[in-house]
Amino acid sequence: MPSQNNKSLIYFTGNSLGLQVKKTPKYFKDELDDWAKMGVEGHFKAKTPWVSYHTNFDYMASVVGAKKTEVVLMNTLTANLHFLFVSFFNPTKKKTKILVEKKPFPSDYFVVESQLKFRGLEPKKNIIESKAKDPLCGSTTQDILEAIHKHHKELALVFLGGVNYYSGYVFDMQKIAKACREYNIPFGLDLAHAAGNVSLKLHKWEVDFAAWCSYKYLNAGPGGVGGVFIHKKHHKNTTLNKFTGWWGHTLKSRFEMKQRFDPIPTAESWQLSNAPIMNMVGLKASLEVFKKVGIKNITKQNKELSTYLYQALDKLVKEKNIPLKILTPRSSKNRGAQLSLYFKKQGKVLFDYLEKNGIVADWRHPGVIRVAPVALYNTKTEIDSFVKLIEVFFNHKSKR
Ligand SMILES: *Cc1c(COP(=O)(O)O)cnc(C)c1O
C-alpha cells in the first residue's frame, strides 16, 4: 500500500494501476537468477522454462470465463487490438462500418480510425458512435442494441469497452453478443476495465474476440503483458487474416526454421514473438492471488464495496444537499468496483482536498472523480473515511 509521510494512503485507483503483489519481487529475482546462471539454457532449463512461460497462466482463462485454449498473453493492449482487427474486421462492399459506444477510450477510437484508413475507408463515414441520453453517463446496452438493429446491414464489426472507463457502466455483453450473432456481425471487446473487476463468460457468450491489459484490476505492474481471447470457433479458420510470427508456429517444428507456417490450433497462433518474460512475472504472482481467493469472490466483493459506497453517498446527498450526481448505474448488474462521481460545483477543489488528505483517486474533466475500491486491498473502513472527508469538505464550504 503506497504511503505518504509514513502514513498509508487510501488507494482507490486500482482501475488505473493495481498495486504490487507481495511475491512479485521474488519472482523477478528468480528470473534474473536463472538468466545470470544459465544464459540461453534458461529457455528450456529455467525453473519456469521461458519457451513455454506463457502457458503458465491457466487462471487467466477462468478470470475471463474462457477455455484455456482461447486465451493467450502477448504484447500490450492497443497493439493486440490492431492484430485482432486484422483478423475480425473484414469489410465487404456493403458492410464497412464499425459500431462503437459513445466516447470510447481514445486509444480504442484511434484503433478503429486507423484500421479503417488502413482498409482504404473514410473514418468519418464508417464509424457509428452510439447514442447516449446523457453524454456523461455514456451509452447503455439498450442504445447499443438499437444501433445494431438500425444499422445491421452496413455493420462489419461491433467493438465496445465491456466496462466504460469514464462512467464505470458495465454493458450486458451477453445480450449484445446475441444480437450480433443474429445478424452475423463479429463482436469484439476491450476489457481493460472489466478483467479482474466483473464476472465474464466470454466463451459461453460467444464473444468473437477480446483484449485487455493486466496492470489495472489484475495488478501485474506498469505496462504488464496484454491478454487476448479468441473464441474457439475461429481457431481452425484458415481464411482469417492474421499477422504472424514464429511463436504462432507449432512448437514441435518451430526450431527447424522452415518457411512454411504451421499454426498452433489455439489462440496461441496469434502470438508473434517469444514471450516477454520480465513483463509477465508480475501477472504470474498476481494470478496466484486471484486463484487463491477465487474470481467469483473477488467480483462479488468488488460490487459489494461499490454498493456500500453508493449507499453512503446517497445518504450524504439526501441529508446534506451535496451537489453530487453518481454517473455509474445504481443497479449492481451494470456496475463493478468503480463509481464515477460528478460534482456539479467545486469538483476540482474537492479533489485537491481529498488528495491532501491521503485519498488516491482520479480526476476527469469536467468534474468527475473516479474511485474504485477493490476487493483485494480496500476496506469498508476506508470508504467510511472517504465519505467523511466529502462531508467535512462541504460542511466547511457552507459555513463560509
Ligand atoms: C487502459 C486502457 C487502454 C490502455 O491501452 P494500452 O495499450 O495498455 O496503453 C486502452 N483502452 C481502454 C478502454 C483502457 O481502459
Side-chain angles (χ1 to χ4, degrees):
M1 186 59 72
S3 59
Q4 202 174 39
N5 308 325
N6 282 329
K7 230 184 125 220
S8 253
L9 293 167
I10 294 183
Y11 194 84
F12 282 162
T13 46
N15 57 343
S16 185
L17 186 77
L19 294 182
Q20 189 179 112
V21 176
K22 286 181 183 166
K23 274 197 178 157
T24 302
K26 180 189 178 297
Y27 284 7
F28 264 104
K29 190 164 179 305
D30 285 349
E31 297 312 328
L32 289 171
D33 286 351
D34 279 350
W35 177 29
K37 272 188 247 152
M38 298 179 196
V40 72
E41 295 288 319
H43 280 303
F44 293 96
K45 292 188 181 157
K47 215 159 84 186
T48 313
W50 304 325
V51 70
S52 53
Y53 197 88
H54 63 280
T55 61
N56 289 289
F57 294 79
D58 280 0
Y59 203 68
M60 191 74 259
S62 308
V63 169
V64 296
K67 298 204 175 290
K68 281 175 201 160
T69 55
E70 290 174 323
V71 169
V72 66
L73 297 166
M74 60 184 205
N75 316 319
T76 46
L77 171 54
T78 306
N80 285 334
L81 288 174
H82 278 293
F83 289 118
L84 291 165
F85 269 57
V86 164
S87 298
F88 294 99
F89 175 50
N90 291 302
T92 60
K93 241 190 178 151
K94 280 191 185 147
K95 294 184 159 206
T96 56
K97 299 190 178 176
I98 302 176
L99 173 66
V100 297
E101 78 228 65
K102 184 87 186 167
K103 280 207 192 139
F105 192 92
S107 203
D108 295 9
Y109 192 84
F110 300 148
V111 167
V112 170
E113 191 179 40
S114 57
Q115 285 286 334
L116 282 161
K117 281 190 202 162
F118 178 64
R119 307 294 179 108
L121 294 160
E122 170 72 47
K124 275 208 180 75
K125 284 187 199 150
N126 288 293
I127 299 177
I128 301 177
E129 208 170 317
S130 156
K131 278 195 253 171
K133 270 173 215 88
D134 180 342
L136 278 181
C137 293
S139 310
T140 61
T141 300
Q142 199 50 38
D143 293 324
I144 301 295
L145 293 174
E146 280 168 22
I148 293 171
H149 294 311
K150 186 168 165 204
H151 298 286
H152 67 93
K153 283 190 186 134
E154 41 188 16
L155 281 175
L157 180 67
V158 175
F159 175 59
L160 302 175
V163 177
N164 182 268
Y165 81 99
Y166 188 84
S167 66
Y169 181 91
V170 181
F171 284 104
D172 187 332
M173 294 167 250
Q174 181 170 24
K175 247 191 199 161
I176 296 169
K178 185 161 175 276
C180 287
R181 243 181 0 263
E182 273 161 22
Y183 292 119
N184 207 12
I185 309 163
F187 177 41
L189 286 166
D190 179 326
L191 298 176
H193 280 265
N197 176 19
V198 296
S199 170
L200 297 164
K201 301 266 177 289
L202 298 181
H203 176 80
K204 188 173 148 223
W205 299 342
E206 288 191 54
V207 171
D208 291 288
F209 70 89
W212 57 94
C213 53
S214 59
Y215 51 79
K216 290 177 178 168
Y217 291 98
L218 290 171
N219 306 327
V225 68
V228 159
F229 164 89
I230 295 140
H231 198 280
K232 196 167 174 240
K233 64 185 168 191
H234 300 300
H235 290 179
K236 287 180 185 158
N237 181 352
T238 50
T239 67
L240 284 179
N241 288 312
K242 203 185 277 180
F243 283 174
T244 52
W246 72 328
W247 238 247
H249 184 101
T250 182
L251 179 58
K252 214 172 69 211
S253 56
R254 185 179 303 155
F255 301 107
E256 289 168 15
M257 309 306 256
K258 294 203 175 120
Q259 284 179 353
R260 198 184 57 81
F261 185 68
D262 180 10
I264 304 170
T266 69
E268 274 187 67
S269 68
W270 269 263
Q271 281 190 120
L272 290 94
S273 298
N274 65 90
I277 307 299
M278 291 305 171
N279 200 20
M280 301 175 82
V281 166
L283 183 61
K284 186 162 170 266
S286 170
L287 282 179
E288 285 179 7
V289 177
F290 269 78
K291 186 171 180 180
K292 198 165 158 194
V293 182
I295 186 65
K296 249 190 174 164
N297 292 324
I298 290 172
T299 56
K300 188 166 158 244
Q301 177 72 356
N302 281 342
K303 267 192 214 289
E304 196 164 316
L305 288 174
S306 66
T307 301
Y308 185 78
L309 174 57
Y310 217 114
Q311 286 166 352
L313 289 169
D314 263 353
K315 193 158 167 264
L316 199 59
V317 169
K318 229 181 255 159
E319 286 171 7
K320 309 275 172 178
N321 198 23
I322 283 167
L324 162 66
K325 182 183 169 188
I326 303 177
L327 302 180
T328 317
R330 187 172 300 274
S331 153
S332 72
K333 218 176 66 204
N334 298 106
R335 159 162 62 75
Q338 176 185 326
L339 292 190
S340 299
L341 314 177
Y342 174 46
F343 290 90
K344 283 158 257 179
K345 285 181 291 195
Q346 304 281 353
K348 191 62 174 61
V349 191
L350 168 64
F351 181 77
D352 294 341
Y353 171 81
L354 291 170
E355 196 173 35
K356 229 172 46 210
N357 285 283
I359 304 285
V360 187
D362 173 276
W363 168 257
R364 295 287 137 160
H365 187 74
V368 177
I369 298 176
R370 299 186 307 161
V371 286
V374 301
L376 288 175
Y377 49 81
N378 291 125
T379 63
K380 289 185 178 170
T381 313
E382 289 177 328
I383 293 176
D384 291 339
S385 308
F386 171 71
V387 175
K388 189 75 200 164
L389 280 171
I390 297 177
E391 182 181 348
V392 169
F393 174 84
F394 282 104
N395 264 342
H396 279 270
K397 286 280 152 207
S398 60
K399 277 188 200 125
R400 262 178 221 161

